[in-house]
């Protein structure tokens, strides 16, 4: 069952520059405090959805051109919401719950922890402070970051698709590719991400197969309030 769902998702999302990676809710809940647990049985089938560098040209720009009169907030969020809602229509006999990376609970906690989901699904390795043996940061707060084996840091985690009626007790967990495997590189990655994230060097910590175009870099480097203008939209 999981394979059929995955194939249907790949067919729907792949042409848009999106990836879907399967996991069981129990894998996610097992590594988090109860406050962050997803409220589903452990064997529930879920997918984490990533956007790759090609999403900008394959999904965002066509969406903006077609829906320009309806865009009132963040074009990327609206684009992803539109396409994941369309995906639900491909499963008319199944309940499909969607969570987006930008959604918050009333407690102001995120609805899900995106990087943890990507890691347990085997989509991207979530490098954290605990992955460095000789910690050089003392009392500084150090945030972790996911690295994709193909795109490095040139990708984003956009949402979850959950199938509450599909239980997959025998789904095998795939470990994410540990592509930043040396202590020195991990320190460099976390240093760049935490203290120099704006220059984007952390994204190229490994040799990547594809990165954002110059147009896409300019878009994401622009303050959100001014991005509509770059896409030819009024404020």
């Amino acid at each position: 069952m999981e394979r059929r769902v995955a194939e249907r998702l790949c067919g729907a999302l792949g042409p848009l520059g999106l990836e879907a990676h399967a996991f069981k809710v129990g894998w996610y809940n097992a590594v988090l405090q109860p406050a962050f647990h997803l409220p589903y049985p452990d064997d529930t089938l879920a997918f984490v959805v990533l956007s790759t560098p090609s999403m900008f040209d394959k999904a965002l720009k066509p969406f903006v051109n077609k829906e320009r009169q309806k865009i009132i907030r963040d074009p990327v969020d609206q684009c992803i919401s539109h396409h994941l809602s369309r995906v639900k229509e491909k499963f008319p006999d199944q309940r499909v719950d969607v969570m987006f990376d930008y959604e918050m609970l009333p407690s102001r906690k995120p609805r899900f922890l995106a990087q943890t989901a990507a890691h347990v699904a085997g989509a991207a390795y979530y490098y954290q402070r605990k992955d460095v043996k000789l910690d050089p940061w003392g009392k500084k707060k150090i945030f972790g970051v996911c690295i994709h084996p193909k795109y490095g840091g040139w990708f984003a985690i956009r949402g979850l698709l959950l199938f509450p009626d599909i239980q997959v007790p025998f789904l095998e967990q795939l470990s994410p590719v540990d592509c930043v495997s040396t202590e020195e590189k991990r320190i460099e990655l976390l240093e760049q991400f935490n203290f120099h994230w704006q220059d984007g060097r952390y994204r190229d910590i490994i040799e990547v197969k594809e990165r954002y175009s110059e147009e896409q870099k300019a878009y994401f480097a622009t303050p959100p309030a001014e991005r509509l203008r770059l896409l030819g939209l009024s404020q």
Side-chain angles (χ1 to χ4, degrees):
M1 186 65 177
E2 175 271 331
R3 187 168 296 177
R4 290 203 300 274
V5 173
E7 288 173 352
R8 201 175 298 180
L9 286 177
C10 183
L13 298 176
L16 300 170
L18 301 173
E19 292 182 352
H21 298 263
F23 68 98
K24 291 201 300 187
V25 165
W27 302 344
Y28 174 92
N29 287 348
V31 297
L32 292 171
Q33 297 294 323
F36 291 103
H37 285 186
L38 295 172
Y40 300 85
D42 283 352
D43 288 335
T44 302
L45 177 63
F47 291 83
V48 62
V49 178
L50 314 180
S51 62
T52 73
S54 65
M55 182 277 295
F56 193 80
D57 287 322
K58 290 180 175 178
L60 180 63
K61 290 184 2 185
F63 172 79
V64 167
N65 288 334
K66 185 178 179 184
E67 306 286 345
R68 57 178 53 247
Q69 300 303 321
K70 299 178 184 177
I71 294 177
I72 55 173
R73 47 185 177 85
D74 186 277
V76 173
D77 288 349
Q78 284 188 252
C79 173
I80 298 296
S81 175
H82 169 80
H83 286 299
L84 293 192
S85 297
R86 292 279 300 274
V87 163
K88 290 177 66 171
E89 297 170 7
K90 297 188 179 296
F91 299 92
D93 301 323
Q94 297 289 347
R95 176 181 155 198
V96 185
D97 293 346
V98 184
M99 295 183 185
F100 299 102
D101 67 300
Y102 53 82
E103 291 182 299
M104 306 292 280
L105 295 169
S107 63
R108 301 309 297 162
K109 289 187 175 77
R111 282 192 76 190
F112 73 99
L113 298 184
Q115 300 200 102
T116 299
H119 187 94
V120 300
Y125 200 108
Y126 184 22
Y127 291 98
Q128 302 177 72
R129 187 173 195 157
K130 64 183 177 63
D131 295 309
V132 173
K133 294 185 179 68
L134 299 175
D135 186 324
W137 298 294
K139 294 183 179 180
K140 290 179 181 176
K141 178 78 171 175
I142 298 296
F143 294 96
V145 60
C146 272
I147 295 296
H148 191 288
K150 184 177 179 181
Y151 305 115
W154 300 102
F155 78 103
I157 303 158
R158 299 297 183 185
L160 297 184
L161 295 168
L162 298 115
F163 293 79
D165 300 328
I166 301 179
Q167 302 297 299
V168 285
F170 302 111
L171 184 65
E172 292 187 16
Q173 188 168 11
L174 299 175
S175 297
V177 178
D178 181 6
C179 48
V180 187
S181 56
T182 70
E183 178 92 346
E184 293 75 18
K185 276 291 184 184
R186 290 179 181 185
I187 291 173
E188 182 184 345
L189 169 64
L190 293 174
E191 287 269 346
Q192 289 181 358
F193 180 70
N194 279 273
F195 308 122
H196 309 285
W197 64 268
Q198 287 163 308
D199 64 24
R201 283 182 296 152
Y202 79 90
R203 299 179 188 270
D204 286 310
I205 194 70
I206 63 169
E207 189 172 330
V208 300
K209 301 281 196 304
E210 189 180 348
R211 57 172 57 86
Y212 291 176
S213 64
E214 292 305 315
E215 179 185 18
Q216 190 171 179
K217 287 180 193 175
Y219 177 82
F220 287 116
T222 299
E226 299 170 26
R227 290 176 181 173
L228 295 180
R229 182 172 46 78
L230 287 185
L231 295 172
L233 301 171
S234 58
Q235 293 296 98

